[in-house]
Coordinates of all heavy atoms in Angstrom, one line a residue:
M836 N -37.2 -6.6 -6.6 CA -36.5 -6.1 -7.8 C -35.2 -5.3 -7.3 O -35.2 -4.6 -6.4 CB -37.4 -5.2 -8.6 CG -36.8 -4.8 -9.9 SD -38.0 -3.9 -10.9 CE -37.2 -4.0 -12.4
T837 N -34.2 -5.5 -8.1 CA -32.9 -4.8 -7.8 C -32.1 -4.5 -9.1 O -32.3 -5.1 -10.1 CB -32.0 -5.7 -6.9 OG1 -30.8 -5.1 -6.6 CG2 -31.7 -7.1 -7.6
A838 N -31.3 -3.4 -9.0 CA -30.5 -3.1 -10.1 C -29.2 -3.9 -10.1 O -28.4 -3.9 -11.1 CB -30.2 -1.6 -10.1
F839 N -28.8 -4.5 -8.9 CA -27.6 -5.3 -8.8 C -27.8 -6.5 -9.7 O -28.8 -7.1 -9.8 CB -27.4 -5.8 -7.4 CG -26.8 -4.7 -6.5 CD1 -27.7 -4.1 -5.6 CD2 -25.5 -4.3 -6.5 CE1 -27.2 -3.1 -4.7 CE2 -25.1 -3.3 -5.7 CZ -25.9 -2.7 -4.8
K840 N -26.7 -6.9 -10.4 CA -26.7 -8.1 -11.2 C -25.8 -9.1 -10.6 O -24.6 -8.9 -10.3 CB -26.1 -7.7 -12.6 CG -27.0 -6.7 -13.4 CD -26.7 -6.7 -14.8 CE -27.5 -5.7 -15.6 NZ -28.9 -5.7 -15.4
I841 N -26.4 -10.3 -10.3 CA -25.7 -11.4 -9.7 C -24.5 -11.8 -10.6 O -24.6 -11.8 -11.8 CB -26.6 -12.6 -9.5 CG1 -27.8 -12.2 -8.7 CG2 -25.8 -13.8 -8.9 CD1 -27.5 -11.8 -7.3
G842 N -23.3 -12.0 -10.0 CA -22.1 -12.4 -10.7 C -21.3 -11.2 -11.2 O -20.2 -11.4 -11.7
E843 N -21.7 -10.0 -11.0 CA -21.0 -8.8 -11.4 C -20.2 -8.3 -10.3 O -20.6 -8.4 -9.1 CB -21.9 -7.7 -12.0 CG -22.6 -8.1 -13.2 CD -21.7 -8.1 -14.5 OE1 -20.7 -7.4 -14.5 OE2 -22.1 -8.8 -15.4
N844 N -19.1 -7.6 -10.6 CA -18.2 -7.0 -9.6 C -18.7 -5.5 -9.3 O -19.0 -4.8 -10.3 CB -16.7 -6.9 -10.0 CG -16.2 -8.3 -10.3 OD1 -16.6 -9.3 -9.6 ND2 -15.3 -8.4 -11.2
Y845 N -18.7 -5.1 -8.1 CA -19.1 -3.8 -7.7 C -18.2 -3.1 -6.7 O -17.6 -3.8 -5.9 CB -20.5 -3.8 -7.1 CG -21.6 -4.1 -8.1 CD1 -22.0 -5.4 -8.4 CD2 -22.3 -3.0 -8.7 CE1 -23.0 -5.6 -9.3 CE2 -23.4 -3.3 -9.6 CZ -23.7 -4.6 -9.9 OH -24.7 -4.8 -10.8
L846 N -18.2 -1.8 -6.8 CA -17.7 -0.9 -5.7 C -18.9 -0.3 -5.1 O -19.7 0.3 -5.8 CB -16.8 0.2 -6.3 CG -16.2 1.1 -5.3 CD1 -14.8 1.5 -5.6 CD2 -17.1 2.3 -5.1
I847 N -19.1 -0.5 -3.8 CA -20.3 -0.1 -3.1 C -19.8 0.9 -2.0 O -19.0 0.6 -1.1 CB -21.0 -1.3 -2.4 CG1 -21.4 -2.3 -3.5 CG2 -22.2 -0.8 -1.6 CD1 -22.0 -3.6 -3.0
R848 N -20.4 2.1 -2.1 CA -20.1 3.1 -1.0 C -21.3 3.1 -0.1 O -22.5 3.1 -0.5 CB -20.0 4.5 -1.6 CG -18.7 4.7 -2.4 CD -18.4 6.1 -2.7 NE -19.4 6.8 -3.4 CZ -19.4 8.1 -3.7 NH1 -18.3 8.8 -3.3 NH2 -20.4 8.7 -4.4
T849 N -21.0 2.9 1.2 CA -22.0 3.0 2.3 C -21.8 4.2 3.1 O -20.8 5.0 2.9 CB -21.9 1.7 3.2 OG1 -20.7 1.8 4.0 CG2 -21.9 0.4 2.3
V850 N -22.6 4.4 4.1 CA -22.5 5.6 5.0 C -21.2 5.6 5.8 O -20.8 6.7 6.2 CB -23.7 5.7 5.9 CG1 -25.0 5.9 5.1 CG2 -23.8 4.5 6.8
T851 N -20.5 4.5 5.9 CA -19.3 4.5 6.7 C -18.1 3.9 6.0 O -16.9 4.1 6.5 CB -19.5 3.6 8.0 OG1 -19.8 2.3 7.6 CG2 -20.5 4.2 8.9
M852 N -18.2 3.3 4.9 CA -17.0 2.7 4.2 C -17.3 2.4 2.8 O -18.4 2.5 2.3 CB -16.6 1.4 5.0 CG -17.6 0.3 5.0 SD -17.3 -1.1 6.1 CE -15.6 -1.2 6.3
I853 N -16.3 1.9 2.1 CA -16.4 1.4 0.7 C -15.9 0.0 0.7 O -14.9 -0.4 1.2 CB -15.4 2.3 -0.2 CG1 -15.9 3.7 -0.2 CG2 -15.5 1.7 -1.6 CD1 -14.9 4.6 -1.0
D854 N -16.8 -0.8 0.0 CA -16.5 -2.3 -0.2 C -16.5 -2.6 -1.7 O -17.2 -1.9 -2.4 CB -17.5 -3.2 0.5 CG -17.5 -3.1 2.0 OD1 -16.4 -2.9 2.6 OD2 -18.6 -3.2 2.6
T855 N -15.7 -3.5 -2.0 CA -15.7 -4.1 -3.4 C -16.0 -5.6 -3.3 O -15.7 -6.2 -2.3 CB -14.4 -3.9 -4.2 OG1 -13.3 -4.5 -3.4 CG2 -14.1 -2.4 -4.4
G856 N -16.6 -6.2 -4.3 CA -16.8 -7.6 -4.3 C -17.7 -8.0 -5.4 O -18.3 -7.2 -6.1
K857 N -17.8 -9.3 -5.6 CA -18.7 -9.9 -6.6 C -20.1 -10.2 -5.9 O -20.1 -10.9 -4.9 CB -18.2 -11.2 -7.2 CG -19.1 -11.8 -8.2 CD -18.4 -13.0 -8.9 CE -18.3 -14.2 -8.1 NZ -17.9 -15.4 -8.8
V858 N -21.2 -9.7 -6.5 CA -22.5 -9.9 -5.9 C -22.9 -11.3 -6.2 O -23.0 -11.7 -7.3 CB -23.5 -8.9 -6.5 CG1 -24.9 -9.2 -6.0 CG2 -23.1 -7.5 -6.0
V859 N -23.2 -12.0 -5.1 CA -23.7 -13.4 -5.2 C -25.1 -13.6 -4.8 O -25.8 -14.6 -5.1 CB -22.8 -14.4 -4.5 CG1 -21.4 -14.4 -5.1 CG2 -22.7 -14.1 -3.0
E860 N -25.7 -12.6 -4.1 CA -27.1 -12.7 -3.6 C -27.6 -11.3 -3.3 O -26.8 -10.5 -2.8 CB -27.2 -13.6 -2.4 CG -28.6 -13.8 -1.8 CD -28.6 -14.6 -0.6 OE1 -27.7 -15.4 -0.3 OE2 -29.5 -14.4 0.2
V861 N -28.8 -11.0 -3.5 CA -29.5 -9.8 -3.1 C -30.8 -10.2 -2.6 O -31.6 -10.9 -3.2 CB -29.6 -8.8 -4.3 CG1 -30.3 -7.6 -3.9 CG2 -28.3 -8.5 -5.0
N862 N -31.1 -9.7 -1.4 CA -32.4 -9.9 -0.8 C -33.0 -8.5 -0.4 O -32.4 -7.5 -0.6 CB -32.4 -11.0 0.3 CG -31.5 -10.6 1.4 OD1 -31.6 -9.5 2.0 ND2 -30.7 -11.5 1.9
E863 N -34.1 -8.6 0.3 CA -34.8 -7.3 0.7 C -33.9 -6.4 1.5 O -33.9 -5.2 1.3 CB -36.0 -7.6 1.5 CG -36.9 -6.4 1.8 CD -38.1 -6.8 2.6 OE1 -38.4 -8.0 2.7 OE2 -38.8 -5.8 3.0
H864 N -33.0 -6.9 2.4 CA -32.3 -6.1 3.3 C -30.8 -6.1 3.1 O -30.1 -5.3 3.7 CB -32.6 -6.5 4.7 CG -34.0 -6.3 5.1 ND1 -34.6 -5.1 5.3 CD2 -35.0 -7.2 5.3 CE1 -35.9 -5.2 5.5 NE2 -36.2 -6.5 5.6
E865 N -30.2 -7.0 2.3 CA -28.8 -7.2 2.2 C -28.3 -7.5 0.8 O -29.1 -8.1 0.0 CB -28.4 -8.4 3.1 CG -28.7 -8.2 4.5 CD -29.1 -9.4 5.3 OE1 -29.5 -10.4 4.6 OE2 -29.1 -9.4 6.5
V866 N -27.1 -7.2 0.5 CA -26.3 -7.6 -0.6 C -25.2 -8.5 -0.1 O -24.5 -8.1 0.8 CB -25.8 -6.4 -1.4 CG1 -24.9 -6.8 -2.6 CG2 -26.9 -5.5 -1.9
V867 N -25.0 -9.6 -0.7 CA -24.0 -10.6 -0.3 C -22.9 -10.6 -1.3 O -23.1 -10.7 -2.5 CB -24.5 -12.0 -0.1 CG1 -23.4 -12.9 0.4 CG2 -25.7 -11.9 0.9
L868 N -21.6 -10.3 -0.8 CA -20.5 -10.3 -1.7 C -19.5 -11.4 -1.5 O -19.4 -11.9 -0.3 CB -19.7 -9.0 -1.5 CG -20.4 -7.7 -1.6 CD1 -19.5 -6.5 -1.1 CD2 -21.0 -7.5 -3.0
E869 N -18.8 -11.8 -2.5 CA -17.6 -12.7 -2.3 C -16.4 -12.0 -2.9 O -16.5 -11.1 -3.7 CB -17.9 -14.1 -3.0 CG -18.9 -14.9 -2.3 CD -19.1 -16.3 -2.9 OE1 -18.6 -16.5 -4.0 OE2 -19.7 -17.1 -2.3
N870 N -15.2 -12.5 -2.5 CA -14.0 -11.9 -3.0 C -14.0 -10.4 -2.6 O -13.5 -9.5 -3.4 CB -13.7 -12.1 -4.5 CG -13.6 -13.6 -4.8 OD1 -13.0 -14.3 -4.1 ND2 -14.3 -13.9 -5.9
A871 N -14.4 -10.1 -1.4 CA -14.6 -8.7 -1.0 C -13.4 -8.1 -0.4 O -12.5 -8.8 0.1 CB -15.8 -8.6 0.0
A872 N -13.4 -6.7 -0.5 CA -12.3 -6.0 0.2 C -12.9 -4.7 0.7 O -13.8 -4.1 0.1 CB -11.2 -5.7 -0.8
W873 N -12.3 -4.2 1.8 CA -12.6 -2.8 2.3 C -11.6 -1.9 1.7 O -10.4 -2.2 1.7 CB -12.5 -2.8 3.8 CG -12.5 -1.4 4.4 CD1 -13.4 -0.4 4.1 CD2 -11.6 -0.9 5.3 NE1 -13.1 0.7 4.8 CE2 -12.0 0.4 5.6 CE3 -10.5 -1.4 6.0 CZ2 -11.3 1.2 6.5 CZ3 -9.8 -0.6 6.9 CH2 -10.2 0.7 7.1
I874 N -12.1 -0.9 1.1 CA -11.2 0.1 0.4 C -11.0 1.3 1.4 O -12.0 2.1 1.5 CB -11.7 0.6 -0.9 CG1 -12.0 -0.6 -1.8 CG2 -10.7 1.5 -1.6 CD1 -10.9 -1.6 -2.1
A875 N -9.9 1.3 2.1 CA -9.7 2.4 3.0 C -9.4 3.7 2.4 O -9.7 4.8 3.0 CB -8.5 2.0 4.0
D876 N -8.8 3.7 1.2 CA -8.5 5.0 0.5 C -8.5 4.7 -1.0 O -7.7 3.9 -1.5 CB -7.1 5.4 0.9 CG -6.6 6.7 0.3 OD1 -7.4 7.3 -0.6 OD2 -5.5 7.2 0.6
T877 N -9.4 5.3 -1.7 CA -9.5 5.1 -3.2 C -8.5 5.9 -3.9 O -8.2 5.7 -5.1 CB -10.9 5.6 -3.7 OG1 -11.1 6.9 -3.5 CG2 -12.0 4.7 -3.1
G878 N -7.8 6.9 -3.3 CA -7.1 7.9 -4.1 C -8.1 8.8 -4.8 O -9.3 8.9 -4.3
R879 N -7.8 9.4 -5.9 CA -8.8 10.1 -6.7 C -9.9 9.2 -7.2 O -9.6 8.2 -7.8 CB -8.1 10.8 -7.9 CG -7.1 11.9 -7.5 CD -7.7 13.1 -6.8 NE -8.7 13.7 -7.6 CZ -8.6 15.0 -8.1 NH1 -7.5 15.7 -7.9 NH2 -9.6 15.5 -8.8
F880 N -11.1 9.5 -6.8 CA -12.2 8.5 -7.0 C -12.4 8.2 -8.5 O -12.5 7.0 -8.9 CB -13.5 9.1 -6.3 CG -14.6 8.1 -6.3 CD1 -14.5 6.9 -5.5 CD2 -15.8 8.3 -7.1 CE1 -15.5 6.0 -5.5 CE2 -16.8 7.3 -7.0 CZ -16.7 6.2 -6.3
A881 N -12.5 9.2 -9.3 CA -12.7 9.0 -10.7 C -11.6 8.1 -11.3 O -11.8 7.2 -12.2 CB -12.8 10.3 -11.5
D882 N -10.4 8.4 -10.9 CA -9.2 7.6 -11.4 C -9.3 6.2 -11.0 O -9.0 5.3 -11.8 CB -7.9 8.2 -10.9 CG -7.6 9.6 -11.5 OD1 -8.2 9.9 -12.6 OD2 -6.8 10.3 -10.9
C883 N -9.7 5.9 -9.7 CA -9.8 4.5 -9.3 C -10.8 3.8 -10.0 O -10.7 2.6 -10.4 CB -10.0 4.4 -7.8 SG -11.7 4.4 -7.2
L884 N -11.9 4.4 -10.4 CA -13.0 3.8 -11.2 C -12.5 3.4 -12.6 O -12.8 2.4 -13.2 CB -14.2 4.6 -11.2 CG -15.0 4.8 -9.9 CD1 -16.1 5.7 -10.1 CD2 -15.4 3.5 -9.3
K885 N -11.7 4.3 -13.2 CA -11.1 4.1 -14.5 C -10.1 3.0 -14.5 O -10.0 2.2 -15.4 CB -10.5 5.4 -15.1 CG -11.5 6.4 -15.5 CD -10.8 7.6 -16.0 CE -11.7 8.8 -16.0 NZ -11.0 10.1 -16.3
T886 N -9.1 3.1 -13.5 CA -8.0 2.2 -13.6 C -8.0 1.0 -12.7 O -7.3 0.0 -13.0 CB -6.7 3.0 -13.1 OG1 -6.9 3.3 -11.7 CG2 -6.5 4.3 -13.9
G887 N -8.9 1.0 -11.7 CA -9.0 -0.2 -10.8 C -7.8 -0.2 -9.8 O -7.6 -1.2 -9.1
N888 N -7.1 1.0 -9.7 CA -6.1 1.1 -8.7 C -6.5 1.9 -7.5 O -7.2 2.9 -7.6 CB -4.8 1.8 -9.3 CG -4.2 1.0 -10.4 OD1 -4.2 -0.2 -10.4 ND2 -3.8 1.7 -11.5
Y889 N -6.2 1.4 -6.3 CA -6.6 2.0 -5.0 C -5.4 2.3 -4.2 O -4.4 1.5 -4.2 CB -7.6 1.1 -4.3 CG -8.7 0.6 -5.1 CD1 -8.6 -0.5 -5.9 CD2 -9.9 1.3 -5.1 CE1 -9.7 -0.9 -6.7 CE2 -11.0 0.9 -5.9 CZ -10.9 -0.2 -6.7 OH -11.9 -0.6 -7.4
N890 N -5.4 3.3 -3.3 CA -4.3 3.6 -2.4 C -4.2 2.6 -1.3 O -3.1 2.2 -0.9 CB -4.4 5.0 -1.9 CG -4.1 6.1 -2.9 OD1 -3.6 5.8 -4.0 ND2 -4.3 7.3 -2.5
E891 N -5.3 2.2 -0.7 CA -5.3 1.3 0.4 C -6.4 0.2 0.3 O -7.6 0.6 0.1 CB -5.5 2.0 1.8 CG -4.3 2.8 2.2 CD -4.5 3.5 3.5 OE1 -4.7 2.7 4.5 OE2 -4.4 4.7 3.6
V892 N -6.0 -1.0 0.4 CA -7.0 -2.1 0.2 C -6.8 -3.1 1.4 O -5.6 -3.5 1.7 CB -6.7 -2.9 -1.1 CG1 -7.6 -4.1 -1.2 CG2 -6.9 -2.0 -2.3
E893 N -7.9 -3.5 2.0 CA -7.8 -4.5 3.1 C -8.8 -5.6 2.7 O -10.0 -5.5 2.9 CB -8.2 -3.9 4.4 CG -7.3 -2.8 4.9 CD -5.9 -3.4 5.3 OE1 -5.8 -4.6 5.6 OE2 -5.0 -2.6 5.4
P894 N -8.3 -6.7 2.1 CA -9.2 -7.8 1.7 C -9.8 -8.5 2.9 O -9.2 -8.7 3.9 CB -8.3 -8.8 1.0 CG -7.1 -8.0 0.6 CD -6.9 -6.9 1.7
F895 N -11.1 -8.8 2.7 CA -11.8 -9.7 3.7 C -11.2 -11.1 3.5 O -10.8 -11.5 2.4 CB -13.3 -9.7 3.5 CG -14.0 -8.5 4.0 CD1 -14.2 -7.4 3.1 CD2 -14.4 -8.3 5.3 CE1 -14.9 -6.3 3.5 CE2 -15.0 -7.2 5.7 CZ -15.3 -6.2 4.9
P896 N -11.3 -12.0 4.5 CA -11.0 -13.4 4.3 C -11.9 -14.0 3.3 O -13.0 -13.5 3.0 CB -11.2 -14.0 5.7 CG -11.2 -12.9 6.7 CD -11.7 -11.7 5.9
D897 N -11.5 -15.1 2.6 CA -12.4 -15.8 1.7 C -13.7 -16.1 2.4 O -13.8 -16.4 3.5 CB -11.7 -17.1 1.2 CG -10.5 -16.8 0.3 OD1 -10.4 -15.7 -0.2 OD2 -9.7 -17.7 0.1
G898 N -14.8 -16.0 1.6 CA -16.1 -16.3 2.1 C -17.0 -15.1 1.7 O -16.7 -14.3 0.9
Q899 N -18.1 -15.1 2.4 CA -19.1 -14.1 2.1 C -19.1 -12.9 3.1 O -18.8 -13.0 4.2 CB -20.5 -14.7 2.1 CG -20.7 -15.7 1.0 CD -22.1 -16.3 1.0 OE1 -22.8 -16.2 1.9 NE2 -22.4 -16.8 -0.2
V900 N -19.4 -11.7 2.5 CA -19.5 -10.5 3.3 C -20.9 -9.9 3.0 O -21.4 -9.9 1.9 CB -18.4 -9.4 2.9 CG1 -18.7 -8.1 3.5 CG2 -17.1 -10.0 3.2
I901 N -21.6 -9.6 4.1 CA -23.0 -9.1 4.0 C -23.0 -7.6 4.2 O -22.5 -7.1 5.2 CB -23.9 -9.8 5.0 CG1 -23.8 -11.3 4.8 CG2 -25.3 -9.3 4.9 CD1 -24.4 -12.1 5.9
V902 N -23.6 -6.9 3.2 CA -23.7 -5.4 3.3 C -25.2 -5.1 3.4 O -26.0 -5.5 2.6 CB -23.2 -4.7 2.0 CG1 -23.3 -3.2 2.1 CG2 -21.7 -5.1 1.9
G903 N -25.6 -4.3 4.5 CA -27.0 -3.9 4.6 C -27.4 -2.9 3.5 O -26.7 -1.9 3.4
R904 N -28.4 -3.2 2.9 CA -28.9 -2.3 1.8 C -29.3 -0.9 2.3 O -29.1 0.1 1.5 CB -30.0 -2.9 1.0 CG -29.6 -4.1 0.2 CD -30.7 -4.8 -0.6 NE -31.2 -3.9 -1.6 CZ -32.1 -4.2 -2.5 NH1 -32.7 -5.5 -2.4 NH2 -32.6 -3.4 -3.4
G905 N -29.7 -0.8 3.5 CA -30.1 0.5 4.0 C -28.9 1.5 4.2 O -29.1 2.7 4.3
A906 N -27.7 0.9 4.2 CA -26.5 1.7 4.4 C -25.9 2.1 3.1 O -24.9 2.9 3.1 CB -25.5 1.0 5.2
I907 N -26.4 1.6 2.0 CA -25.7 1.9 0.7 C -26.1 3.3 0.2 O -27.3 3.7 0.2 CB -26.2 0.8 -0.4 CG1 -25.6 -0.5 0.0 CG2 -25.7 1.2 -1.8 CD1 -26.1 -1.7 -0.8
I908 N -25.1 4.0 -0.2 CA -25.3 5.3 -0.8 C -25.3 5.2 -2.3 O -26.2 5.7 -3.0 CB -24.1 6.3 -0.4 CG1 -24.2 6.5 1.1 CG2 -24.2 7.6 -1.2 CD1 -23.0 7.2 1.6
D909 N -24.3 4.5 -2.9 CA -24.3 4.3 -4.4 C -23.4 3.1 -4.6 O -22.7 2.6 -3.8 CB -23.9 5.5 -5.2 CG -22.5 6.0 -4.8 OD1 -21.7 5.2 -4.4 OD2 -22.3 7.2 -5.0
A910 N -23.5 2.6 -5.9 CA -22.7 1.4 -6.3 C -22.5 1.6 -7.8 O -23.3 2.1 -8.5 CB -23.5 0.1 -6.0
V911 N -21.3 1.0 -8.2 CA -20.9 1.1 -9.6 C -20.3 -0.3 -9.9 O -19.5 -0.8 -9.1 CB -20.0 2.3 -9.9 CG1 -18.7 2.2 -9.1 CG2 -19.8 2.4 -11.4
R912 N -20.5 -0.8 -11.1 CA -19.9 -2.0 -11.6 C -18.4 -1.7 -11.9 O -18.1 -0.6 -12.5 CB -20.6 -2.6 -12.8 CG -21.7 -3.4 -12.4 CD -22.2 -4.3 -13.5 NE -23.4 -3.6 -14.1 CZ -24.0 -3.9 -15.2 NH1 -23.6 -4.9 -15.9 NH2 -25.1 -3.2 -15.5
I913 N -17.5 -2.6 -11.6 CA -16.1 -2.4 -11.9 C -15.6 -3.7 -12.5 O -16.2 -4.8 -12.4 CB -15.3 -2.1 -10.6 CG1 -15.5 -3.2 -9.5 CG2 -15.6 -0.8 -10.0 CD1 -14.7 -3.1 -8.3
E914 N -14.5 -3.6 -13.3 CA -14.0 -4.7 -14.0 C -13.3 -5.7 -13.2 O -13.6 -6.9 -13.3 CB -13.0 -4.2 -15.1 CG -13.6 -3.4 -16.2 CD -14.5 -4.3 -17.1 OE1 -14.1 -5.4 -17.4 OE2 -15.6 -3.9 -17.4
K915 N -12.3 -5.3 -12.3 CA -11.6 -6.2 -11.5 C -11.7 -5.9 -10.1 O -11.9 -4.8 -9.7 CB -10.1 -6.2 -12.0 CG -9.4 -4.9 -11.8 CD -7.9 -4.9 -12.3 CE -7.3 -3.6 -12.1 NZ -5.9 -3.6 -12.4
L916 N -11.5 -7.0 -9.3 CA -11.6 -6.8 -7.8 C -10.2 -6.8 -7.2 O -9.4 -7.6 -7.5 CB -12.4 -8.0 -7.2 CG -13.8 -8.1 -7.6 CD1 -14.4 -9.4 -7.1 CD2 -14.6 -6.9 -7.1
P917 N -10.0 -5.8 -6.3 CA -8.7 -5.8 -5.6 C -8.7 -6.9 -4.5 O -9.6 -6.9 -3.7 CB -8.7 -4.4 -5.0 CG -10.1 -4.0 -4.8 CD -10.8 -4.7 -6.0
R918 N -7.7 -7.7 -4.5 CA -7.6 -8.8 -3.5 C -6.2 -8.8 -2.8 O -6.0 -9.6 -2.0 CB -7.9 -10.1 -4.2 CG -9.3 -10.3 -4.7 CD -10.3 -10.4 -3.5 NE -10.1 -11.5 -2.7 CZ -10.5 -11.6 -1.4 NH1 -11.0 -10.6 -0.8 NH2 -10.3 -12.7 -0.7
T919 N -5.4 -7.9 -3.2 CA -4.0 -7.8 -2.6 C -4.0 -6.6 -1.6 O -4.4 -5.5 -2.0 CB -2.9 -7.6 -3.6 OG1 -3.0 -8.7 -4.6 CG2 -1.6 -7.6 -3.0
Q920 N -3.6 -6.9 -0.4 CA -3.5 -5.9 0.6 C -2.5 -4.8 0.2 O -1.4 -5.1 -0.2 CB -3.1 -6.4 2.0 CG -3.1 -5.5 3.1 CD -2.8 -6.1 4.4 OE1 -2.1 -7.1 4.5 NE2 -3.3 -5.5 5.5
R921 N -2.8 -3.6 0.4 CA -1.9 -2.5 0.1 C -2.2 -1.3 1.0 O -3.2 -1.1 1.5 CB -1.9 -2.0 -1.2 CG -2.6 -1.9 -2.3 CD -2.3 -1.3 -3.6 NE -1.4 -0.3 -3.6 CZ -1.3 0.6 -4.6 NH1 -2.2 0.6 -5.5 NH2 -0.4 1.5 -4.6

């Protein structure tokens, strides 16, 4: 059982970084994302969640990104995914 919803966009904070992406699979140990990006700097966190604007974005190449569930601190659904490097 998981609270993640397949097909929804998420911002996921882990112990070492922040990733965004569309959840395409969840299993016992991993969450799999597509259209993912590493968010190096959110700016003011509450503002980025409201507006979808981030100070620094490093998109992953097209394909899947695997995030270990044991490293996840929290996650929140977001409307749009950042895919442009900034």
